[in-house]
């Protein structure tokens, strides 16, 4: 393709001036100023022959028109000031072009600090009569410090082209934080109720914070960082209690550390790790003698901290097969601690003086996953299990043992009850504050709506106070029982911390959506249009959903799979975000099935919990694959369509459903031999994952065991439709399945080092596969810390990029790939 030099000394001077006088801020994205020509040709300097380029509106888009009527001349415009570049790094330029006649060229140009052109890369475009996405890539040569885009019509060409949406990217770009959270976890009130202490979750890169909140002023008066070390990072904490001397104790994860804060001091003290593994301290309770009691995951340990030392109480785990001491409550009069365990649920009375243990949970609740919350108050034990609040009287039998007699069963209750006052406790049910009268065993609703997920209750005089998280952040709720007056308001100055990305996917609007780990929230990134601040999201976090496990664009909707209880939400990006209305909850897999079932003979599925897989059919049906509730093995396939009742089906008993694809009228799924958390052993002996097909027309399920060479693979962590076939990854093995013949046409081990038996954490999700529109000869993917490309014909593997800690994969409309590293979103340009 012929090239033309810049025309005239004036044009050269203009380019050099642009390099020397303008120093744009370094940004996550290399944003081309006025890349969409919304401001005419501002920022696009003259290049080559004068004239030939004008700003117009064409086919509904503001654009730059290059009208070349002279075969002896070249016309063009270059983005100035140019953008920073580094020698040896690869860059790409993207654009939309409509070639009305002739041809067009898109250039990527590299210069040094003086403005001298060092090299170029270009794409020649001849496609006509429509907007076409084009790209050009090149590597910055030695000495290059700047990169720019050039739209161009060369010597010899006669024709007209329209250009829009010019963007530039480095091959690898750190796009920074996508999600933020300002909601508390572990929460405890002081004795007066005037101060509340709350832990705010961080990430592996950002330490959690302890906030000291003044209830009367509704503001955080102090924020303190929880210290840690590189060897034992602290991410967050669920547990908080106050000792007899007023000291605040905090239990954290994933390092099972205990912290102490003395009110008024400027730092938090690290007291070390509780005995046991690299795990969670789920709950803490203060004893009457200054000691602190706690419960852990994953060794189901009950411990005491006293006089600077940790002591294990009783057996480890406290009950056989129980990984979690999820909740605890302490009776200081009897010196007894109640332990809520899982999985499956258990409730243990532990006598701290004698070590005697008694099981109190009524048999009817033994199939629940765990006792999630416990409170001892008003001489009653309040136990929360899967939205059911049990009120128990602890009764001593004639032989000296103890049992739990049920006073009341309250359904659809939220976590946490208040300390008793005037014979009543308070809690939230059906989004309304309600009371339970201990003597009469009656529940009474108020007209007060806290509007938040309560994390703790306290009393400030005669006023009930609660702290919690809402879509707008932290809120404090106040209710006076004597008058019925109440308020629910935001708390100012609380910590706002990045949230780790748990899931990512492309939306129907071309944006990249992310879901937050643990604290929830939804992030939105507009590809190649990010701002310069990598420490905060480009757009405010969309709040209102809990932890997102999967995302799927189907039609003009985004479907979001949310943990817990495998909830399927539908979101219309064209409308305002308004949780409850948009996104709207469409189906809840956690409400399907029987908790006592596990897809055994004559049984249906257990309630589902983790929706790791989504697929959609052209008729609008959405399919969701999931991992079951704690302690169960059988995942399921859930099916929802507007106007029809959703349902959840057993497909492969004893295995979770972790990947889905729709092709040729059927849904294909990959299973994992790893059940839910809490099942032992983690994998059934000799269990192998399988591919299955669900036929909506008949309701039948057909399984296709993996080829002989791929036996004893623990999970198929991704399947995707490629040119009518189903491609999948089973623990490092690539397979291709032909739906027409029902046979596997390819089975090859591309990543020999993948072993889910040695590392079960990846047996729910690991590999990802996708195709991109501009490269029809390859399939792209990720596994472990690698992004790769596979030749469709030869199945040859090329590893494109390796980065420690990377996970997930999504592609934008330009075919660029996105992945996450902790709290950061990153882009790779193939």
């Amino acid at each position: 393709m012929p090239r033309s030099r810049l025309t005239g000394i004036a044009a050269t001077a203009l380019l050099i001036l642009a390099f020397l006088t303008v120093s744009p801020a370094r940004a996550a994205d290399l944003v081309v100023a006025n890349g969409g020509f919304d401001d005419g040709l501002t920022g696009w300097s003259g290049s080559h022959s004068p004239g030939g380029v004008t700003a117009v509106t064409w086919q509904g888009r503001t654009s730059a028109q290059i009208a070349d009527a002279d075969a002896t001349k070249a016309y063009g415009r270059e983005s100035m000031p140019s953008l920073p570049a580094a020698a040896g790094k690869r860059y790409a330029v993207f654009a939309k072009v409509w070639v009305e006649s002739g041809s067009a060229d898109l250039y990527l140009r590299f210069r040094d600090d003086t403005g001298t052109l060092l090299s170029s890369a270009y794409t020649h475009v001849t496609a006509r009569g429509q907007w076409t996405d084009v790209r050009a890539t090149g590597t910055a040569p030695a000495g290059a410090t700047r990169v720019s885009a050039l739209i161009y019509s060369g010597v010899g060409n006669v024709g007209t082209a329209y250009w829009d949406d010019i963007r530039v990217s480095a091959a690898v770009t750190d796009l920074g934080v996508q999600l933020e959270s300002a909601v508390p976890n572990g929460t405890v009130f002081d004795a007066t109720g005037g101060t509340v202490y709350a832990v705010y979750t961080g990430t592996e890169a950002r330490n959690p914070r302890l906030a000291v909140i003044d209830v009367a002023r509704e503001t955080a008066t102090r924020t303190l960082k929880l210290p840690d070390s590189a060897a034992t990072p602290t991410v967050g904490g669920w547990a908080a209690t106050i000792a007899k001397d007023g000291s605040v104790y905090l239990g954290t994860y994933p390092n099972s550390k205990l912290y102490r804060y003395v009110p008024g001091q400027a730092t938090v003290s690290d007291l070390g790790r509780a005995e046991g593994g690299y795990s969670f301290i789920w709950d803490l309770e203060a004893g009457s003698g200054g000691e602190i009691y706690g419960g852990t995951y994953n060794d189901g340990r009950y411990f005491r901290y006293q006089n600077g030392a940790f002591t294990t109480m009783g057996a480890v785990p406290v009950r056989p097969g129980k990984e979690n001491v999820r909740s605890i409550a302490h009776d200081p009069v009897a010196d007894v601690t109640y332990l809520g365990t899982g999985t499956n649920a258990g409730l243990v009375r532990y006598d701290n003086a004698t070590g005697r243990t008694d099981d109190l949970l009524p048999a009817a609740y033994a199939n629940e996953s765990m006792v999630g919350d416990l409170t001892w108050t008003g001489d009653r034990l309040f136990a929360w299990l899967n939205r059911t609040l049990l009120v128990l009287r602890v009764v001593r039998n004639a032989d000296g043992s103890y049992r739990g007699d049920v006073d009341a069963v309250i359904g659809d209750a939220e976590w946490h009850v208040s300390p008793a006052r005037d014979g009543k406790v308070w809690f939230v049910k059906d989004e309304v504050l309600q009371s339970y009268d201990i003597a009469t065993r009656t529940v009474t609703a108020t007209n007060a709506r806290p509007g938040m997920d309560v994390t703790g209750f306290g009393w400030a005089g005669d006023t009930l106070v609660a702290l919690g998280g809402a879509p707008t952040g932290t809120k404090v709720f106040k209710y006076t029982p004597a008058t019925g007056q109440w308020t629910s308001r935001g708390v100012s100055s609380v910590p706002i911390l990045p949230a780790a990305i748990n899931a990512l996917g492309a939306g129907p609007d071309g944006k990249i959506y992310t879901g937050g780990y643990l604290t929830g929230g939804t992030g939105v990134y507009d590809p190649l249009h990010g701002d310069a601040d990598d420490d905060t999201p480009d757009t405010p976090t969309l709040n209102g959903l809990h932890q997102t496990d999967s995302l799927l664009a189907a039609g003009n909707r985004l479907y979001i799979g949310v943990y817990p209880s495998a909830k399927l939400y539908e979101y219309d990006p064209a409308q305002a975000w308004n949780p409850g209305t948009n996104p709207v909850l469409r189906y809840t897999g956690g409400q399907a099935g029987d908790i006592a079932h596990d897809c055994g003979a004559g049984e249906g599925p257990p309630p589902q919990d983790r929706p790791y897989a989504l697929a959609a059919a052209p008729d609008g049906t959405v399919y969701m694959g999931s991992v079951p509730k704690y302690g169960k093995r059988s995942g399921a396939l859930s099916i929802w369509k507007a106007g029809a009742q959703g349902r959840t089906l057993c497909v492969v008993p004893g295995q979770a459903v972790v990947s889905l694809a729709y092709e040729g009228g059927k849904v294909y799924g990959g299973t994992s031999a790893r059940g839910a958390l809490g099942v032992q052993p983690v994998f059934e002996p000799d269990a192998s994952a399988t591919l299955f097909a669900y036929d909506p027309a008949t309701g039948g399920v057909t399984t296709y065991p993996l080829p002989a060479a791929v036996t004893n693979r623990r999970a198929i962590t991704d399947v995707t439709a490629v040119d009518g076939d189903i491609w999948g990854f089973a623990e490092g093995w690539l397979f291709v399945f032909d739906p027409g013949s029902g046979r596997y046409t390819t089975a090859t081990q591309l990543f020999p080092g993948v072993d889910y038996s040695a590392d079960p954490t990846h047996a729910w999700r690991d590999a990802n596969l996708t195709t991109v529109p501009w490269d029809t000869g390859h399939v792209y993917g990720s596994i472990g810390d690698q992004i790769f490309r596979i030749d469709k014909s030869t199945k040859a593997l090329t590893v494109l990029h390796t980065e420690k800690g990377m996970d997930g994969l999504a592609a934008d409309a330009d075919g660029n790939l996105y992945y996450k590293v902790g709290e950061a979103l990153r882009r790779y340009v193939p």
Side-chain angles (χ1 to χ4, degrees):
M1 176 68 193
R3 301 183 188 178
S4 297
R5 297 177 57 193
L6 288 172
T7 304
I9 297 175
T12 303
L14 177 63
L15 288 173
I16 294 175
L17 182 64
F19 278 102
L20 297 179
T21 61
V22 181
S23 179
R26 290 185 175 268
D29 269 326
L30 300 173
V31 179
V32 175
N34 193 31
F37 303 102
D38 294 329
D39 296 324
L41 298 179
T42 301
W44 292 83
S45 58
S47 175
H48 305 88
S49 302
V53 185
T54 55
V56 300
T57 298
W58 177 257
Q59 299 295 324
R61 304 184 71 105
T62 57
S63 58
Q65 179 198 61
I66 300 182
D68 186 348
D70 190 337
T72 66
K73 294 182 178 180
Y75 299 97
R77 285 287 190 276
E78 187 168 357
S79 60
M80 290 292 165
S82 56
L83 299 165
K89 290 189 175 182
R90 187 166 55 86
Y91 293 84
V93 58
F94 307 89
K96 293 184 181 298
V97 61
W98 183 303
V99 179
E100 185 69 8
S101 59
S103 61
D105 296 295
L106 175 66
Y107 275 81
L108 185 70
R109 308 187 106 186
F110 297 103
R111 300 177 183 273
D112 62 17
D113 279 334
T114 68
T116 300
L117 179 64
L118 302 179
S119 69
S120 297
Y122 77 97
T123 292
H124 184 61
V125 186
T126 58
R128 297 182 184 177
Q130 61 183 0
W131 285 110
T132 302
D133 292 310
V134 295
R135 53 190 270 144
T137 62
T139 299
T145 59
R146 317 295 298 180
V147 61
S148 60
L150 170 68
I151 54 175
Y152 181 71
S153 174
V155 173
N157 181 57
V158 173
T160 301
Y162 300 87
W163 293 92
D164 191 22
D165 200 15
I166 316 296
R167 292 150 293 140
V168 171
S169 176
V172 179
T173 304
D174 186 345
L175 302 169
V177 171
Q178 299 297 304
L179 298 141
E180 289 180 328
S181 174
V183 297
N185 278 342
T187 300
V188 64
F189 285 80
D190 69 2
T192 69
T195 301
V196 58
Y197 301 90
V199 179
Y200 288 76
T201 292
T203 66
E204 289 189 7
R206 307 289 180 96
N207 291 57
R209 302 294 194 268
L210 172 66
V212 182
I213 297 172
D214 186 308
V215 170
R217 293 165 54 195
E218 298 172 352
T219 187
T221 58
R222 174 169 285 179
T223 297
L224 304 102
K225 183 172 76 171
L226 274 61
D228 64 357
S229 67
T232 56
T234 297
V235 174
W238 287 107
T241 192
I242 293 182
K244 184 178 180 180
D245 65 358
S247 297
V248 180
Y249 287 82
L250 310 171
T252 63
Y253 65 86
N255 56 13
S256 64
K257 278 196 173 183
L258 185 68
Y259 292 87
R260 180 174 184 247
Y261 172 65
V262 177
Q265 291 189 354
T267 59
V268 175
S269 299
D270 182 348
L271 302 178
R273 297 176 65 185
E275 295 177 323
Y278 195 72
S279 59
F280 286 56
I281 294 178
W282 273 129
D283 205 1
L284 295 172
E285 281 283 320
S288 57
E291 71 275 21
I292 301 297
Y293 297 104
T296 71
Y297 166 82
N298 58 353
D299 58 1
R301 184 185 302 263
Y302 169 50
F303 70 85
R304 180 182 65 213
Y305 179 81
Q306 190 174 32
N307 299 324
F310 291 96
T311 303
T312 295
M313 308 285 283
V316 179
V318 71
R319 280 289 184 265
K322 307 297 186 183
E323 294 182 333
N324 292 270
V325 175
R326 181 62 182 85
S327 54
I328 65 177
H330 185 67
D331 175 0
V333 175
D335 191 20
V336 165
T337 304
Y338 298 96
L339 311 175
T341 65
T343 55
N344 292 326
L347 178 54
V348 178
R349 180 187 186 272
Y350 189 98
D351 188 313
N352 295 305
T354 66
R356 178 191 175 98
T357 60
D358 293 276
D359 293 297
L360 305 182
L361 188 69
Y365 300 95
N367 285 310
E368 297 290 346
S369 58
M370 66 181 70
V371 178
D373 188 57
L374 281 174
T375 303
W376 173 264
T377 188
D379 203 30
R380 295 291 186 273
L381 185 62
F382 295 82
W384 188 95
L385 304 91
N386 192 23
R387 300 189 66 79
T388 295
L389 182 63
L390 296 182
V391 184
L392 300 174
R393 283 180 294 113
V394 180
V395 179
R396 189 176 188 273
N397 298 313
D399 63 358
S401 64
Y402 289 84
R403 70 178 188 272
D405 287 351
V406 178
D407 269 4
V409 178
I410 305 169
D412 202 31
E414 302 293 341
W415 272 24
H416 303 295
V417 300
S418 75
R421 177 69 64 91
D422 298 328
K424 297 180 179 179
V425 299
W426 302 81
F427 58 95
V428 177
K429 170 181 165 65
D430 299 326
E431 301 183 353
V432 172
L433 181 71
Q434 308 203 19
S435 66
Y436 173 77
D437 189 299
I438 296 173
T440 65
R441 306 181 187 181
T442 56
V443 175
T444 304
T446 72
N447 66 351
R449 292 182 172 270
M452 61 184 183
D453 293 330
V454 173
T455 55
F457 283 103
W459 287 94
D462 294 327
T463 299
L464 176 69
V465 183
L467 192 80
T472 54
T474 301
K475 294 181 76 172
V476 62
F477 168 77
K478 301 175 185 178
Y479 175 78
T480 304
T483 64
Q485 294 181 330
W486 63 279
T487 60
S488 184
R489 290 192 283 255
V491 179
S492 62
S493 302
V494 297
I496 300 175
L497 296 175
I501 298 172
N502 191 57
L504 67 157
D509 54 357
K511 297 178 180 179
I512 302 298
Y513 287 81
T514 49
Y517 173 68
L518 195 65
T519 55
T522 303
V524 185
Y525 166 73
D526 188 2
L528 288 90
H529 291 88
D531 63 24
D533 185 356
D534 291 350
D535 292 327
T536 57
D538 292 348
T539 58
T541 300
L542 303 174
N543 292 300
L545 300 185
H546 290 110
Q547 176 179 304
T548 294
D549 280 349
S550 53
L551 295 149
L552 172 72
N556 60 357
R557 297 291 191 269
L558 178 68
Y559 291 93
I560 307 172
V562 173
Y563 165 88
S565 293
K567 294 179 179 178
L568 176 67
Y569 287 87
E570 181 185 71
Y571 172 57
D572 180 0
Q575 305 299 320
W577 180 275
N578 183 22
T581 302
N582 188 41
V584 59
L585 178 62
R586 292 303 191 191
Y587 186 72
T588 303
Q591 294 178 353
D594 187 322
I595 192 64
H597 290 172
D598 208 352
C599 290
E603 293 181 348
Q608 300 296 295
D609 218 16
R610 303 175 189 271
Y612 282 132
L614 294 172
D619 68 354
T621 303
V622 179
Y623 299 89
M624 179 170 66
S626 51
V627 175
K629 289 282 188 180
Y630 284 79
K632 301 295 180 178
R633 287 199 178 274
S634 299
L637 180 69
S638 294
I639 305 167
W640 174 84
K641 183 180 180 181
Q645 186 175 1
R647 52 205 174 100
T648 298
L649 312 172
C650 292
V651 282
V652 181
Q655 301 199 11
V657 179
V658 295
S659 54
L660 290 175
Y662 185 89
E663 175 60 36
K666 294 182 180 180
V667 179
Y668 293 86
T671 68
S672 173
R674 180 189 184 192
L677 293 177
V679 295
Q680 292 295 335
V682 175
F683 300 105
E684 288 281 12
D686 301 322
S688 178
T690 189
L691 180 72
F692 70 86
Y694 170 76
D695 187 342
T698 65
V701 175
T702 304
T703 57
Y704 299 95
L706 290 168
V710 200
T711 55
N712 295 321
R713 297 298 95 188
R714 300 298 194 179
I716 299 172
T717 53
D718 197 41
V719 291
T720 192
V722 180
D723 300 336
D725 290 335
I726 299 298
W727 287 45
F729 256 92
E731 205 163 346
W733 285 77
L734 169 71
F735 65 81
V736 178
F737 177 79
D738 176 9
S741 66
R743 295 182 176 182
Y744 292 93
T745 59
T746 296
T748 179
Q749 190 176 28
L750 297 183
F751 295 95
V754 180
D755 183 357
Y756 297 153
S757 295
D759 182 11
T761 60
H762 289 98
W764 284 338
R765 54 181 183 180
D766 186 17
N768 303 273
L769 292 168
T770 190
T771 56
V772 298
W774 61 269
D775 185 355
T776 59
H778 294 90
V779 175
Y780 290 81
S782 68
I783 190 170
D785 295 335
Q786 300 168 99
I787 293 177
F788 57 82
R789 181 179 65 207
I790 301 172
D791 186 286
K792 286 184 180 180
S793 299
T794 66
K795 308 304 184 293
L797 171 73
T798 303
V799 174
L800 302 173
H801 178 62
T802 301
E803 185 171 350
K804 183 176 175 59
M806 66 165 292
D807 190 24
L809 196 70
D812 65 19
D814 292 307
N816 300 318
L817 304 176
Y818 294 80
Y819 59 96
K820 65 184 180 75
V821 178
E823 64 199 48
L825 180 69
R826 294 186 181 164
R827 177 176 59 243
Y828 175 78
V829 178

